[in-house]
Amino acid sequence: MISDDMALSRAMADAVARHPELQLVTQELSITTFRYVPADFKDRMGEAAVERHLDVLNRSLLDRIQRGGDAFVSNAVVNGRYVLRACIVNFHSRLADVEAVPVLAARVGRALDAELRPAAL
């Protein structure tokens, strides 16, 4: 069962890495970390104002996903950046479940970015 969880985590990491609005941060054992990064910020990552917005955006994204009840992810801080953390440990988790999380994160992240983005960015 543990090896199944690890394989599902790798599948999630692959789905995150393929998504143009997500940044894969880590994948170890059954844990994948990632964050939502709007496509127009990909070339601006590292700028202080952009990173602050991404942290706020991903905090709000975590809250919205948890409140929505469609998936459960937690958080981590990796290299000083706030990221979403998916830990696959439920023996009921399937490939379709882990592939749905990146799609959900991007959809919700897109809506939140439209709400929260400061005009100066």
Side-chain angles (χ1 to χ4, degrees):
M1 287 191 303
I2 293 170
S3 64
D4 291 343
D5 291 345
M6 292 167 59
L8 288 173
S9 179
R10 285 190 299 275
M12 179 183 283
D14 291 343
V16 166
R18 286 190 308 269
H19 201 289
E21 295 171 286
L22 300 177
Q23 177 190 26
L24 177 64
V25 178
T26 65
Q27 193 289 308
E28 295 286 331
L29 299 173
S30 68
I31 299 171
T32 298
T33 63
F34 62 98
R35 66 183 181 162
Y36 176 75
V37 178
D40 60 328
F41 281 174
K42 290 287 185 170
D43 294 335
R44 297 180 58 199
M45 290 189 312
E47 292 179 23
V50 168
E51 292 297 339
R52 280 191 302 275
H53 175 64
L54 292 176
D55 285 349
V56 167
L57 181 57
N58 281 279
R59 284 178 192 273
S60 298
L61 176 55
L62 175 67
D63 182 62
R64 185 80 52 98
I65 288 173
Q66 287 179 343
R67 289 177 188 271
D70 292 323
F72 183 82
V73 293
S74 60
N75 73 292
V77 176
V78 178
N79 297 324
R81 302 297 176 223
Y82 189 93
V83 298
L84 305 181
R85 178 183 180 273
C87 181
I88 313 300
V89 294
N90 187 326
F91 66 93
H92 290 294
S93 295
R94 301 288 176 250
L95 182 59
D97 300 323
V98 300
E99 289 180 337
V101 172
V103 174
L104 173 66
R107 179 176 49 78
V108 175
R110 204 173 302 119
L112 281 168
D113 184 46
E115 291 174 28
L116 300 174
R117 187 182 294 205
L121 288 179

